Amino acid sequence: MGILNATPDSFSDGGKHVSVDAAVARARAFLAQGADIIDIGAESTRPGAPDVDEKTEMARLLPVVEAVAASIPLPISIDTRRARVMRAAHALGARMMNDVSALRDDPDSLRTVAELDLDVCLMHRRGTPQTMQQQTDYADVVTEIRDFLAERVRACRAAGIAAERIVLDPGIGFAKDLDGNLRLLRGLDALQRLGFPLLVGVSRKGFIGTLTGEAEPAARDPGSVAAALWISARIGPAILRVHDVGATVQALRVWAALDADGDPDSRKG
């Protein structure tokens, strides 16, 4: 899953792809590099990010979605928390909603996803971007996040969302400190046992900077690729949400060819 930020303030590449032409060029590059999905967002959810109103989010997002959908033959995911944004993006061709609030922030989101028969990614997060890094204490981070995700699955099923439409995201970096992120990654198999595909986003995250001493997010790609390989080795196929599609796909294909099954296309990510 290639990350396409239509935001001026993303932690990693804010402002680089806000114009429609730049966004389409980025999406074309993802396609050439081997991406399977493009995830477009217009509201930064990094720690400390300010709220973006719905009108601003739509003004940033919808022209990019329309242009990418018309130009690129890949499924489009939308990184949003708002039901009206989901409806508008779906009308332009988006099929998946990637909600950092797990369909909690907008009371109409559950009904919207069910009514439109959308794929949905449910992510774990505590608090808001302004408060989440003050909420990193867990008695057992893996168990608590597994239980949270299981509860959100039940809410989705009760709202009429089909099980096969649901993807789960542990929310690496969202209300987790370094120890919590590492424990959670080591415990991905426990989340996998819930029976739903996992989406994992570690690309350029702060914990990689802490481990490596690299303050610049865009310079964390080697660590991001290493984490992607480790996740694939740990749990097998997953949706990997990444900034550097080319390096990640290349590394996964080489690793898969060297793996015991010998099938270079078996774990593309």
Side-chain angles (χ1 to χ4, degrees), residues 9-11 43-52 128-132:
D9 60 343
S10 168
F11 84 96
E43 178 188 31
S44 177
T45 52
R46 75 187 192 283
D51 286 335
V52 173
T128 67
Q130 295 79 32
T131 65
M132 63 186 180

Side-chain angles (χ1 to χ4, degrees), residues 1-2 26-40 65 68-77 93-95 245:
M1 174 183 276
R26 179 72 162 170
R28 288 189 188 280
F30 285 159
L31 175 65
Q33 292 164 356
D36 300 296
I37 311 170
I38 296 176
D39 190 52
I40 306 175
V65 174
V68 170
S71 306
I72 311 299
L74 286 177
I76 293 175
S77 165
R95 288 294 307 149
V245 170

